[in-house]
Amino acid sequence: MDKEERSGQISNLSPGDGITLTCITCPVGCELEVTLEGEGEVRVLNNRCPRGVDYAVQETTAPERTFTSTVKLRGSSLERRLPVRLDRVIAKARLLEVAEYVRTLEAQVPVTMGDVLQDDLLKLGANLVASRSVKE
Amino acid sequence: MRVTVIGGGPAGMAAALSAKRAGAEEVLLLERAERLGGVLPQCIHTGFGVSYFKEDLTGPEFAERLERLVAKAGVEVWLNSIALQAFPDRQLLVSTRLGLRALRPDVLIFAVGARERPRGAIAIPGDRPAGVFTAGTAQYMTNIQGLQVGREFFILGSGDIGLIMARRFTLEGLIVHGVAELMPFPGGLSRNVQQCLRDYAIPLYLSHTVTGVRGKQRVEAVTVAPVDPNGYPLRDQERTYAVDSLILSVGLLPEAELLRQAGLTMAPETGGPAVDQYYQCEREGIFAVGNGVAIWDLADNVAETAEVAGRAAVLCPPGRGWARVEGRGGIRVVIPQRWRLEDRDLVLHFRAGKPTIAPRLRVTCKGQLLARRGYAALRPAEMEEIRIPAEKLAMVEAGDLVVLELEEGSGG
Ligand SMILES: Cc1cc2nc3c(=O)[nH]c(=O)nc-3n(C[C@H](O)[C@H](O)[C@H](O)COP(=O)(O)OP(=O)(O)OC[C@H]3O[C@@H](n4cnc5c(N)ncnc54)[C@H](O)[C@@H]3O)c2cc1C
Ligand code: SF4
């Protein structure tokens, strides 16, 4: 995938430009004042912790997100859906495609939290794992 | 000592766990549903556990981690068991699969959670077709029951549940036309506005409301209009959205029924009972924790504060009386509302009434300053805290009033 698509609207920025980003790393949600200094270099204000800087760099170059969903669960007397997640963040631009693919998947009891349901999903380097255990 | 905890969400599990760890012989956890976890199993997104487990977990993962600890500690769990009635002397009537049971524990901990504000509270004119759901119900249908709620949505209210569902629907290939919020600021956390709306270019209309619902059997359209500063819709600027579902995300209220039966009065600002710093209510031996006390933003806060209660329920530090705590001038919610006099720091949890930039907060008693702190910003969506050192509190006596307020001239 080319850089243009991965970085979305932010890629139009040139050095010296300033933007406000909401850090989504933790629930505090700092409103970061970000100024682009050069290729992959940013100056960040308003972050309450150092992770805000990492987020600003990532978000202005190649934004990433976690992905969670549910899949159909077979064989359980209690549960019809199994909550699932990817075990690492992926490119934000791939979320819809991943969601569409995950809709076609199913799981079978018994399942244990952390079980890998599909490894290296769509060659993204992340595994799809069960978010909870369902024994029967 | 026998401790009974009502409600098996994160609050109830954490309270039961810490009561057991603090040495209570018998700890019983009652849950009316067929699984533990409260609302967590349906909150399949991440954002849980960052502080409590030091890991970014989904709701089901957070619940299962706690559930394992509860089982290991030897807490007795009754599922499908609903506390039907509670009495001021801690008697409890419980309906179980084996029939009705009467209990009278030494300590009773309410961890009953919250319910969504009923629809009647928000009078939307128009028809009453099918297709109007509260956000929590839509979440339960989608994530637990695997049902399709609708195809095209409009969302009223920007509370976190509604924001989370906007993203969930979008990822499921459904269409969310927009979110209307009556207030001039969002009700949910900023990170959810970012990752649930902006990420998918879903418009958020602040100072807007839904003015009508149309449709015979099923919702066919909703009308939306901006509101003036007094909250009245400007009809001439009304717009129509062709949707088959309207999602109401207008907030939660503590589940108060059972607590009222136990003889507790509800504080108007929180909708829950007044508690002290150990979450003990105005009756000895009765505690309340989690969203049944006040609406916390995070399951982490809920679990951490419930742990404090579980421990205190067993170790019960002797009290020298209580002072009252009150929020004023821009401070909407303060927990605790009562301070049990003791020689320790006091942490007050509070919520601002409206967004305020660079405010300074002060805590006073009898005209004396107990604590002062500046904040970069205060937002109503976020519960904040301020710590008062023990040495400052030494002057507070039983019956006194401790006041938390924004300093004049600070903030904007
Ligand atoms: C959609 C949504 C999204 C959220 N997102 C986040 C997030 O990203 N991060 C985060 O940290 N937090 C989040 N939260 C908040 C978190 O889930 C809640 O703060 C937490 O679950 C509250 O815990 P609780 O135990 O007080 O209540 P609940 O989880 O509601 O549990 C109460 C339990 O009590 C039981 N009960 C009630 N009455 C009785 C009775 N009479 N007898 C027996 N049992 C009874 C109920 O069945 C229920 O199981 C979210 C919440 C929602 C709804
Ligand atoms: S900058 Fe730090 S404190 Fe602020 S939202 Fe990001 S991770 Fe949280």
Side-chain angles (χ1 to χ4, degrees):
Chain A
M1 188 182 3
D2 61 44
K3 184 159 179 257
E4 200 56 36
E5 190 186 333
R6 282 169 54 129
S7 42
Q9 61 201 73
I10 290 165
S11 67
N12 305 334
L13 291 174
S14 27
D17 283 356
I19 43 163
T20 308
L21 289 178
T22 306
C23 180
I24 59 169
T25 311
C26 91
V28 173
C30 297
E31 298 290 340
L32 309 177
E33 295 292 337
V34 183
T35 316
L36 261 62
E37 307 257 88
E39 261 305 295
E41 265 182 64
V42 295
R43 194 160 51 88
V44 180
L45 293 175
N46 275 354
N47 55 312
R48 289 199 213 177
C49 86
R51 284 182 301 166
V53 179
D54 300 339
Y55 175 77
V57 172
Q58 193 71 52
E59 192 68 7
T60 48
T61 50
E64 294 178 331
R65 295 289 184 270
T66 57
F67 173 83
T68 68
S69 187
T70 64
V71 298
K72 184 175 196 155
L73 183 63
R74 293 200 178 275
S76 169
S77 52
L78 182 61
E79 307 293 353
R80 281 183 258 181
R81 305 295 296 181
L82 180 73
V84 296
R85 68 177 296 179
L86 285 179
D87 60 2
R88 65 183 59 189
V89 289
I90 56 165
K92 179 175 134 184
R94 303 288 299 273
L95 285 171
L96 282 165
E97 178 194 346
V98 167
E100 198 172 328
Y101 175 67
V102 168
R103 273 205 292 285
T104 65
L105 303 178
E106 293 182 355
Q108 175 78 40
V109 289
V111 195
T112 305
M113 176 170 73
D115 279 359
V116 174
L117 303 171
Q118 188 148 130
D119 64 352
D120 198 9
L121 189 101
L122 296 177
K123 300 209 163 56
L124 282 162
N127 303 319
L128 190 72
V129 301
S131 295
R132 67 174 292 202
S133 309
V134 184
K135 291 297 164 213
E136 51 186 1
Chain B
M1 174 182 275
R2 280 176 313 145
V3 177
T4 296
V5 183
I6 308 174
M13 287 196 279
L17 187 62
S18 71
K20 189 73 197 176
R21 284 178 176 163
E25 289 81 34
E26 282 176 42
V27 179
L28 174 62
L29 180 58
L30 303 175
E31 170 53 54
R32 69 179 165 201
E34 50 215 341
R35 59 177 87 74
L36 287 178
V39 301
L40 293 178
Q42 74 188 64
C43 300
I44 60 154
H45 55 284
T46 56
F48 300 81
V50 177
S51 131
Y52 194 77
F53 288 114
K54 308 280 175 258
E55 243 181 273
D56 191 15
L57 302 170
T58 62
E61 289 170 318
F62 187 96
E64 191 162 329
R65 293 273 188 101
L66 260 179
E67 204 176 325
R68 284 182 189 172
L69 295 174
V70 163
K72 215 158 70 187
V75 171
E76 190 178 344
V77 178
W78 293 3
L79 296 177
N80 300 296
S81 300
I82 177 162
L84 292 176
Q85 214 171 348
F87 299 88
D89 66 353
R90 300 192 302 275
Q91 267 207 63
L92 205 59
L93 193 62
V94 185
S95 163
T96 76
R97 275 202 281 208
L98 303 171
L100 282 187
R101 304 283 286 272
L103 309 172
R104 191 174 180 283
D106 303 304
V107 172
L108 189 54
I109 303 180
F110 287 94
V112 289
R115 66 166 72 175
E116 294 183 279
R117 288 201 177 136
R119 193 193 167 192
I122 359 128
I124 303 171
D127 310 323
R128 289 288 180 270
V132 182
F133 303 92
T134 64
T137 299
Q139 190 181 45
Y140 186 82
M141 289 169 68
T142 308
N143 293 342
I144 303 286
Q145 296 180 308
L147 300 171
Q148 183 167 353
V149 177
R151 294 188 173 282
E152 306 222 8
F153 297 86
F154 197 89
I155 301 180
L156 174 60
S158 57
D160 284 315
I161 316 178
L163 301 181
I164 296 283
M165 287 314 291
R167 174 177 63 182
R168 183 83 177 98
F169 291 141
T170 307
L171 284 174
E172 285 301 300
L174 308 168
I175 296 165
V176 180
H177 289 258
V179 177
E181 168 60 55
L182 187 65
M183 305 302 283
F185 48 84
L189 299 174
S190 349
R191 70 187 311 225
N192 287 337
V193 174
Q194 174 62 49
Q195 60 186 354
C196 299
L197 300 186
R198 274 186 229 138
D199 271 9
Y200 303 96
I202 299 169
L204 170 60
Y205 304 104
L206 296 173
S207 302
H208 276 66
T209 192
V210 170
T211 48
V213 178
R214 267 188 264 144
K216 294 231 154 37
Q217 258 92 50
R218 177 84 192 191
V219 172
E220 285 160 18
V222 298
T223 48
V224 177
V227 295
D228 69 16
N230 299 317
Y232 292 107
L234 304 165
R235 295 273 174 179
D236 53 332
Q237 296 178 42
E238 223 165 50
R239 259 181 298 170
T240 302
Y241 295 86
V243 295
D244 59 23
S245 307
L246 173 65
I247 304 295
L248 305 174
S249 178
V250 285
L252 303 167
L253 271 183
E255 184 85 63
E257 179 57 23
L258 214 52
L259 288 97
R260 282 211 187 88
Q261 292 174 3
L264 302 170
T265 44
M266 299 304 128
E269 322 79 58
T270 55
V275 291
D276 67 17
Q277 70 270 39
Y278 294 106
Y279 301 91
Q280 180 161 252
C281 303
E282 278 160 341
R283 279 176 191 276
E284 203 67 30
I286 298 187
F287 291 72
V289 292
N291 276 359
V293 173
I295 306 307
W296 303 84
D297 310 320
L298 303 174
D300 290 76
N301 305 144
V302 161
E304 278 153 14
T305 53
E307 268 193 4
V308 170
R311 208 177 309 122
V314 179
L315 305 173
C316 251
R320 309 195 299 259
W322 282 268
R324 284 179 300 134
V325 184
E326 228 177 73
R328 286 193 191 155
I331 301 302
R332 195 158 53 87
V333 166
V334 184
I335 302 287
Q337 298 97 334
R338 314 165 70 219
W339 178 58
R340 178 206 290 254
L341 273 57
E342 61 173 355
D343 308 314
R344 282 184 188 206
D345 292 3
L346 167 64
V347 176
L348 296 178
H349 306 271
F350 67 91
R351 230 180 248 284
K354 60 176 175 48
T356 318
I357 305 296
R360 263 191 325 274
L361 210 71
R362 74 167 170 237
V363 185
T364 55
C365 180
K366 295 181 285 198
Q368 279 197 44
L369 187 69
L370 302 181
R372 173 184 270 149
R373 188 180 153 187
Y375 296 80
L378 290 177
R379 281 171 287 202
E382 286 157 28
M383 195 85 112
E384 281 284 357
E385 52 182 60
I386 185 166
R387 175 179 290 271
I388 312 168
E391 45 304 352
K392 293 281 184 187
L393 286 161
M395 54 84 65
V396 181
E397 297 169 303
D400 281 352
L401 177 65
V402 174
V403 175
L404 174 68
E405 61 197 333
L406 288 180
E407 280 192 0
E408 260 169 60
S410 81

